[in-house]
Amino acid sequence: SAVSVSGTLKPYSVVCGSFSLQANAQGLKDYLVGQGYKAGIVKNVEKNMFRVIIGSYDTKAEAARARESFKQKYPSRTDFQGSWILLNK
């Protein structure tokens, strides 16, 4: 699947939001950057969706750890609780 991203993607990224409007994705990205994350936006060209990632990692284990600590940090954010790992092929 074709993706475009600001910055370079490592093999595994943690996605915490998916939007059809780029402005909404940008708003969440800006919030996460303010929270100290190396957030970025990955565009899924096929589905025309903008995915917000909290970071990109070399191994699945690192990504899983980042995802778990992220979810624990925001227990009341149901959207963040659905965070998932994107494999960048």
Side-chain angles (χ1 to χ4, degrees):
S1 65
V3 294
S4 57
V5 69
S6 43
T8 330
L9 274 189
K10 290 180 180 175
Y12 298 93
S13 299
V14 177
V15 178
C16 65
S18 212
F19 303 92
S20 52
L21 286 176
Q22 186 168 2
N24 293 350
Q26 187 66 47
L28 180 57
K29 181 200 162 193
D30 292 345
Y31 168 76
L32 291 166
V33 168
Q35 294 279 300
Y37 290 96
K38 288 182 177 147
I41 298 172
V42 181
K43 184 179 184 190
N44 180 312
V45 180
E46 288 155 19
K47 297 179 181 162
N48 204 32
M49 292 293 283
F50 296 90
R51 293 169 173 167
V52 180
I53 61 170
I54 60 164
S56 202
Y57 309 90
D58 289 315
T59 67
K60 192 172 184 178
E62 282 177 287
R65 276 198 301 276
R67 174 177 171 259
E68 287 313 307
S69 60
F70 179 73
K71 285 168 63 175
Q72 285 170 12
K73 189 174 174 183
Y74 303 97
S76 60
R77 289 281 306 246
T78 50
D79 53 343
F80 289 174
Q81 292 303 310
S83 297
W84 52 281
I85 296 171
L86 170 69
L87 174 61
N88 179 44
K89 296 188 183 75

